[in-house]
Amino acid sequence: MRTVEVTDHTIINLISGRIRAYSDLLKFRLSALVTFSAVFGYVLGYTGMSFGWSGLIGLSLGGFLISGASGAANEIMERDLDKLMKRTQNRPLPLQLISLKEAYWFTTIIAILGISLLWVFTNPLTTWLGILSMVLYVFAYTPLKRVGPVAVFVGAIPGAMPPLLGWTAATGAISYEAMIIFGIQFIWQFPHFWAIAWVSDEDYKRAGFKLLPNGGEQDLNTAIQIMIYTLFLLPLGLLPSYFGLTGLNSGIVATICGVLFLAQTFSLMRDCSRKSALKIMFGSFLYLPIVQIAYLLDKMP
């Protein structure tokens, strides 16, 4: 009886370990954040008399799987580089928790399933934008990370796609409102990416990643670049209110969040420290969801 209990416990541990490994492979938390941004775009753009739940569910599942497939493909391509970095050396492929063949099959299946869900439950425009996002992330951004900081610009395009996909799923068109919410998330990614690159500079250098601007130095020039892009978020954050997409309250929230975010960059300009860069990184994690939720709560009828 005791042997059976040990065996059952072992099986449960093996199954839970495999689930965790596949969850890590598709970057579950990142994919969930991507899905949130897509849902934000959908709800903000939807104007029908009865809410399109099928479209929202299809977008959420399809977007999550496409994001997961992109993350998994990234891990496949960088599996040898991940072994060199402390922040990634415990991923499933470096630890051989999942075989390379399994990873290829898993990535292919969830990519096809995600694309199919978008095609069936949204519209062709959203589906093609989803495919474009995946292609740019995997085949442009990923290899460019070892070329230079241009990778941040290229990566910001698929990174800003989720709210655009949500809007097109709800409306079937790319409008100026769609470009506004795309633009906010696009610009937000520069201080976000660069703060992460600053904090993880030693790790990134081991893998040959070159993401920081101005020659990749942790200096005042890089800090100023981070400040400038964060400064752009102040006028951009007011555009939804200015064009009547949302009310005044969300504009106030966006401005307050933008000012607080910007204030963190002054600390980095003053001391150029990893601690200040870490604060910007965490500030970027807070800024986007808070502002997006404010827009949703303040959506104009």
Side-chain angles (χ1 to χ4, degrees):
M1 186 69 177
R2 186 176 180 180
T3 304
V4 173
E5 289 176 353
V6 171
T7 302
D8 289 345
H9 184 69
T10 302
I11 293 173
I12 291 172
N13 283 341
L14 287 172
I15 293 173
S16 62
R18 295 286 285 178
I19 292 173
R20 281 196 302 271
Y22 278 107
S23 174
D24 290 342
L25 183 63
L26 58 76
K27 299 182 178 178
F28 186 90
R29 285 180 293 181
L30 176 61
S31 296
L33 290 172
V34 168
T35 303
F36 173 82
S37 286
V39 169
F40 154 73
Y42 186 88
V43 176
L44 196 66
Y46 200 87
T47 57
M49 294 298 293
S50 57
F51 192 74
W53 288 105
S54 61
L56 178 62
I57 293 171
L59 171 71
S60 300
L61 293 176
F64 179 85
L65 291 175
I66 284 179
S67 176
S70 300
N74 172 268
E75 290 192 34
I76 290 172
M77 295 174 69
E78 295 182 347
R79 61 190 182 278
D80 293 327
L81 300 176
D82 283 345
K83 296 176 183 178
L84 306 175
M85 298 187 291
K86 292 180 181 179
R87 63 187 291 271
T88 57
Q89 62 188 8
N90 291 323
R91 284 178 173 175
L93 291 177
L95 292 179
Q96 297 183 334
L97 299 175
I98 298 173
S99 71
L100 185 58
K101 183 178 180 180
E102 287 177 314
Y104 274 119
W105 274 108
F106 177 73
T107 303
T108 302
I109 290 170
I110 63 173
I112 293 173
L113 184 56
I115 292 168
S116 300
L117 286 169
L118 290 185
W119 184 266
V120 172
F121 291 100
T122 62
N123 51 60
L125 175 59
T126 303
T127 306
W128 285 114
L129 286 173
I131 294 171
L132 175 63
S133 175
M134 186 163 51
V135 169
L136 284 174
Y137 186 85
V138 175
F139 298 108
Y141 166 67
T142 297
L144 283 174
K145 287 162 72 176
R146 303 191 79 197
V147 174
V150 67
V152 176
F153 175 83
V154 174
I157 298 172
M161 282 286 194
L164 179 61
L165 263 65
W167 185 278
T168 59
T171 67
I174 299 176
S175 61
Y176 71 87
E177 297 100 333
M179 296 311 299
I180 288 172
I181 58 176
F182 172 88
I184 292 171
Q185 190 149 324
F186 178 80
I187 294 298
W188 164 83
Q189 285 179 91
F190 288 89
H192 172 71
F193 267 120
W194 285 334
I196 293 174
W198 190 304
V199 170
S200 305
D201 185 60
E202 290 184 12
D203 254 1
Y204 280 178
K205 283 179 177 175
R206 291 191 193 100
F209 293 157
K210 304 171 183 177
L211 298 180
L212 286 174
N214 299 306
E217 297 298 325
Q218 296 172 303
D219 57 14
L220 179 59
N221 287 331
T222 296
I224 290 173
Q225 287 286 321
I226 294 173
M227 181 276 291
I228 290 172
Y229 278 88
T230 307
L231 183 62
F232 286 152
L233 288 173
L234 288 176
L236 281 172
L238 289 171
L239 290 182
S241 298
Y242 179 80
F243 285 99
L245 184 59
T246 62
L248 179 61
N249 291 334
S250 59
I252 295 173
V253 171
T255 300
I256 293 172
C257 289
V259 169
L260 293 174
F261 194 10
L262 181 64
Q264 294 176 320
T265 68
F266 295 140
S267 176
L268 183 64
M269 290 168 60
R270 184 173 59 252
D271 58 27
C272 292
S273 68
R274 185 179 185 275
K275 182 179 179 181
S276 294
L278 195 63
K279 289 179 180 179
I280 294 173
M281 186 183 78
F282 285 120
S284 69
F285 285 132
L286 291 172
Y287 173 86
L288 194 64
I290 290 175
V291 170
Q292 288 181 338
I293 290 171
Y295 288 149
L296 289 181
L297 294 176
D298 203 30
K299 177 184 175 181
M300 296 298 287

